Amino acid sequence: LLSIKKRQSLLVKNMIPTKNFNPSTQPEIPNINSDIEKIRNYLLNRKFSNVLTILNKYSPYIKNSDVLRFYLIWLRLGTSFYQNLKLDLNKTESDLNTIAVQRIGFGEYYYVKSILSMLKNDFAEAEKLFVTSITHESYLERFPIKKKVSFFKIRDLLSFINS
C-alpha cells in the first residue's frame, strides 16, 4: 500500500486530461496537492459545503481531470445519501465508470461505489464494496457509510413496538 503522501503525488502527477484536450486552449492545472488532501478529509467527514468551495476554484479543470471529476462524483453521492437529495443514479454510475481507477486509488473508488450501492438499496453489494475499500485503504474503516438515526426516530419506533 502506498503512503498518503506518495498517493497524493501520484494523483496530481497523473491528472492527465481526458479526450478532447487541447493544451493550447486549456489553462495549466495548478498544483493542488494540499487541496486534494483537504477535499478527501472533508468528504470523509461529510463537510460537503467545504468541498464545493474548493472544487469551485478548480471548475475550469474538472472536465479534463479524472481526479477532480471523481471528487465531484463523490460529493454528489455523499450529499444525495446523507442529505436526502435526488440524484440520477444511472448517470452518476456511468460517470463513475469513466474514471481511471488507477488515478484515484482503489480504496477510495470502492468506497464511493459503496455509497452508490447504498443509494440503490443494494446493501449486500454496498457492504462487499466497503470491505473491499478497507482491504485497499485500512483508514477507511473509521468512516462507515451509514446514516445516523435520530433519537426521536428510535423513540417513535420503540413506542410503536410497545403499543
Side-chain angles (χ1 to χ4, degrees):
L1 297 173
L2 297 174
S3 71
I4 291 177
K5 291 226 182 252
K6 178 111 172 145
R7 249 187 43 247
Q8 274 183 319
S9 68
L10 286 172
L11 287 175
V12 173
K13 190 185 298 180
N14 291 325
M15 286 178 55
I16 300 167
T18 56
K19 58 188 170 191
N20 301 329
F21 178 72
N22 181 347
S24 63
T25 62
Q26 297 293 322
E28 184 178 313
I29 297 176
N31 184 353
I32 62 169
N33 277 333
S34 63
D35 282 340
I36 284 177
E37 187 62 31
K38 286 179 192 173
I39 290 169
R40 181 182 303 110
N41 287 330
Y42 288 146
L43 285 167
L44 289 168
N45 290 295
R46 303 174 192 154
K47 296 181 178 181
F48 302 120
S49 62
N50 295 9
V51 175
L52 187 58
T53 301
I54 294 172
L55 286 177
N56 276 335
K57 271 190 343 189
Y58 298 104
S59 60
Y61 313 105
I62 289 175
K63 185 177 182 181
N64 296 314
S65 167
D66 279 350
V67 174
L68 293 174
R69 282 189 304 120
F70 173 75
Y71 288 123
L72 181 61
I73 292 167
W74 188 348
L75 174 65
R76 287 178 185 154
L77 289 169
T79 54
S80 178
F81 183 71
Y82 292 107
Q83 298 174 0
N84 297 318
L85 299 175
K86 298 269 185 207
L87 183 67
D88 182 349
L89 296 179
N90 291 329
K91 179 174 180 354
T92 303
E93 183 172 27
S94 173
D95 291 346
L96 185 57
N97 289 335
T98 65
I99 303 291
V101 182
Q102 299 81 356
R103 295 182 184 174
I104 305 306
F106 290 99
E108 290 178 6
Y109 183 80
Y110 289 119
Y111 185 85
V112 171
K113 293 279 276 190
S114 181
I115 297 171
L116 178 64
S117 293
M118 291 289 282
L119 285 166
K120 293 168 121 184
N121 295 321
D122 188 349
F123 303 113
E125 180 68 11
E127 178 68 22
K128 185 176 116 184
L129 289 165
F130 182 68
V131 169
T132 304
S133 76
I134 292 170
T135 61
H136 289 282
E137 297 290 344
S138 61
Y139 76 91
L140 292 171
E141 188 172 17
R142 296 188 319 247
F143 303 97
I145 301 167
K146 60 183 176 184
K147 295 182 182 182
K148 291 183 179 176
V149 179
S150 76
F151 166 76
F152 299 107
K153 288 182 182 179
I154 294 171
R155 184 192 65 194
D156 294 344
L157 180 61
L158 289 174
S159 65
F160 174 76
I161 291 170
N162 292 329
S163 60

